[in-house]
């Protein structure tokens, strides 16, 4: 369902770089946490367009061993999307979660925030 090569938005990339500078968590690990934080917060993608043009990585690098779980959560939250739109939904959740997490200045403060 999600493509083998994926990118995130400029906004998410910048937020996750700030998080990396503050906590040492890499951008791909931050993106995983951002996605799950966004789902947990109850964020819902409005179907709008999103430019995913930063940091192309393969799906496994972005999602790790949680790829099936991410896809299942997306299908559960958005049961009527076309296959190509799940990628945009994932990207919008990374955007949302990254903004919440970017000001954390340590892993412990990040855990408390999530």
């Amino acid at each position: 369902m999600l493509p083998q090569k994926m990118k995130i938005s400029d906004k998410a990339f910048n937020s996750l770089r700030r998080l990396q500078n503050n906590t040492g968590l890499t951008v791909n690990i931050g993106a995983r946490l951002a996605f799950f934080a966004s789902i947990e917060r109850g964020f819902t993608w409005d179907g709008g367009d999103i430019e995913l043009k930063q940091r192309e990585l393969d799906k496994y690098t972005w999602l790790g061993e949680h790829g099936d779980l991410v896809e299942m959560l997306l299908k559960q939250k958005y049961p009527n999307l076309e296959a190509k739109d799940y990628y945009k939904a994932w990207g919008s959740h990374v955007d949302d979660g990254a903004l919440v997490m970017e000001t954390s200045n340590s892993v412990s403060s990040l855990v408390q925030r999530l």
Side-chain angles (χ1 to χ4, degrees), residues 44-98:
T44 300
W45 176 54
D46 64 5
D49 207 18
I50 180 170
E51 288 190 40
L52 303 170
K53 58 183 184 175
Q54 269 290 347
R55 184 64 68 91
E56 182 176 80
L57 297 171
D58 63 79
K59 182 167 71 170
Y60 185 80
T61 302
W62 281 122
L63 307 178
E65 296 177 1
H66 308 292
D68 291 340
L69 176 61
V70 168
E71 290 184 346
M72 185 220 37
L73 287 170
L74 288 169
K75 285 181 184 178
Q76 183 178 15
K77 188 156 183 83
Y78 307 102
N80 299 318
L81 283 185
E82 293 182 27
K84 63 182 173 71
D85 290 330
Y86 284 108
Y87 177 36
K88 293 177 186 175
W90 172 80
S92 70
H93 279 281
V94 173
D95 265 9
D96 175 68

